[in-house]
Amino acid sequence: MERGHSDSIYLKLWERNHCNHRDYQNLAKNGAQSFEANSKLIRSMARDPNLDQPALVFYSLIGNDVCQAVPSLNNITTPEQMHKNVLETLNGLDKRLPNGSHVILIGLVDGRILYDSLHNRIHPIGSLRHDVTYEQLYDFLNCLQVSPCFGYMNSNETIRNKTSERAAQLSAVLKHVAETSKYENFDVFYFDCPLEEVIKVC
C-alpha cells in the first residue's frame, strides 16, 4: 500500500526554526473535558512567561464535553458551562504564557461520522465469525453503561443528532470567545474541527 504525504503544524514550526523540536509539550489526556483544562492540564504546563519564547497553544477537546458512558444527555456540558470553563482556561494561560503567544481554539467534532462510517462493518471482536457489527457493539456497551461516548456511539439517530447539536452549540461558544476576548499575553483564534476535510484528503 502506498503511503500518503503527511504534514503537520509541528513540521512547519520545525522547518521555520529547528530548535522547535526541543520545545514541544502535549498536555492531552484521554477523556479530558473543559472542566479539567484549567484545573489540571494548564497547571502542568512548563512555561516561564519571563524567560521562555512565545508559545503556540492548541485548545482542542474533540468531543469529550458531549461524550460520557451514562446513557443520558441530561448532564453533558452546557453552553453556559463551556463559556465559564474556557474563560477560566484562557485566564490561566494569560498568567503562564510569554507575551506574543497565540492560542487557537478548535471546535468540537461532529462525531456522527463514527456511526455513519462504521455501523454496518464487522468489529474486530466479531472477526472470527463475522457476527458482531460496530452498531451491535455500540448498543451492547451502552447497555453496560461503559461506552466511551453514548451520544455518538449509538444506533438511535435522534440521540446522535442531539449530541451533534450540543457539540455545535459548544463550538459556537468557543468561536464567540475567540472573537470577543482580549488578553495581555496572547491573541485568540478559532477554527472548526477539520476532521471531515482530513478524511476527504485521505
Side-chain angles (χ1 to χ4, degrees):
M1 175 185 292
E2 183 179 342
R3 295 185 179 181
H5 172 72
S6 96
D7 203 353
S8 69
I9 293 293
Y10 180 73
L11 177 60
K12 298 298 184 186
L13 290 171
W14 180 81
E15 289 174 347
R16 183 176 181 181
N17 180 345
H18 283 19
C19 291
N20 271 314
H21 77 284
R22 299 185 183 275
D23 191 15
Y24 175 83
Q25 298 173 59
N26 185 344
L27 306 181
K29 173 194 168 188
N30 285 341
Q33 299 177 329
S34 60
F35 293 91
E36 297 179 83
N38 192 50
S39 63
K40 295 180 181 178
L41 301 183
I42 298 303
R43 294 181 184 179
S44 66
M45 176 182 289
R47 209 71 183 174
D48 188 314
N50 300 313
L51 299 177
D52 291 332
Q53 294 296 314
L56 173 62
V57 177
F58 290 91
Y59 177 92
S60 180
L61 300 168
I62 312 297
N64 294 327
D65 278 85
V66 295
C67 284
Q68 60 181 4
V70 179
S72 170
L73 299 179
N74 294 329
N75 57 342
I76 58 178
T77 305
T78 66
E80 294 76 19
Q81 290 171 325
M82 175 61 82
H83 188 262
K84 178 178 181 292
N85 292 341
V86 71
L87 288 182
E88 286 183 2
T89 297
L90 293 176
N91 287 330
L93 285 172
D94 204 26
K95 298 173 183 176
R96 290 179 175 270
L97 295 180
N99 189 264
S101 295
H102 309 284
V103 175
I104 299 177
L105 306 179
I106 307 293
L108 279 70
V109 68
D110 185 347
R112 289 178 295 185
I113 195 169
L114 287 173
Y115 185 88
D116 293 343
S117 303
L118 297 171
H119 72 278
N120 59 353
R121 296 187 183 186
I122 298 297
H123 188 275
I125 201 171
S127 59
L128 179 63
R129 297 185 178 86
H130 292 81
D131 59 352
V132 179
T133 64
Y134 277 83
E135 178 179 17
Q136 291 169 328
L137 179 67
Y138 290 168
D139 287 343
F140 180 64
L141 293 176
N142 285 329
C143 180
L144 297 177
Q145 298 188 22
V146 295
S147 172
C149 190
F150 164 80
Y152 284 135
M153 298 168 65
N154 200 308
S155 61
N156 187 316
E157 183 179 12
T158 299
I159 291 175
R160 297 196 308 271
N161 289 340
K162 286 184 177 179
T163 303
S164 180
E165 180 181 341
R166 175 58 58 85
Q169 293 170 351
L170 300 184
S171 294
V173 169
L174 296 176
K175 183 177 182 180
H176 174 74
V177 167
E179 293 174 345
T180 60
S181 299
K182 302 293 182 184
Y183 293 90
E184 181 178 351
N185 290 316
F186 59 83
D187 48 21
V188 189
F189 301 92
Y190 170 85
F191 287 104
D192 287 321
C193 182
L195 180 61
E196 291 188 13
E197 288 77 7
V198 170
I199 290 176
K200 289 177 183 177
V201 170
C202 296

